[in-house]
Amino acid sequence: MWQAIRRWFDPSDLNSVGSTPDYRFSLANERTFLAWLRTGLALIAGGLAAAQFLPPLPLRHLREAIAVALLLLGATVAVRAVDHWSRTERAIRLGERLPASRFPAVLALIVAVGALLLVVAVLARGVSG
C-alpha cells in the first residue's frame, strides 16, 4: 500500500516504468483524473452546504449525518481518483490492459441510495409538518 502511495508523489518512478506513451493518452488519463476530482469537490461542497443550510430534519442529527457522509464520500473519491490515475498511467506506459474499476458503479449506488433516503426524509417532514 505504501509503495502505491509513494508512486503518487514520485513522477520519476512513474517515468522509469515502460516506455513513453503517446501524450494524448496521458492527457486523456489526466482529464479523467480531473473529472473525478471535480466530483469529489462537488460532494465536499454538498456536505458543507448540508451542514450549513439544511433546516433541522425530523430525525435527530440527520443533517449532520448527511453532511459527514458527503464529506467522507468526497474525500474517498479524491483519493480513489489519484490511485486510479497512477495505476492507469502505469498500465499505459507498460502497454497493459487498463485497470478495471467497480468504483463508478459503487459511487452511483451510494448516491442513488442517499437520494432515496433524502426523499424519505423530505416526505417524512412534509407528513409530520
Side-chain angles (χ1 to χ4, degrees), residues 1 9 25 27 32 46 51 54 56 62 103 107 125:
M1 180 173 105
F9 299 102
F25 297 118
L27 292 175
T32 303
L54 275 181
L62 180 58
F103 189 73
L107 180 62
R125 183 168 187 232

Side-chain angles (χ1 to χ4, degrees), residues 14 16-22 25-26 86-99:
L14 186 61
S16 68
V17 172
S19 60
T20 303
D22 183 337
F25 297 118
S26 291
S86 175
R87 292 185 308 118
T88 300
E89 191 67 25
R90 188 175 190 79
I92 290 170
R93 294 184 68 82
L94 292 172
E96 297 175 349
R97 293 180 67 165
L98 297 181

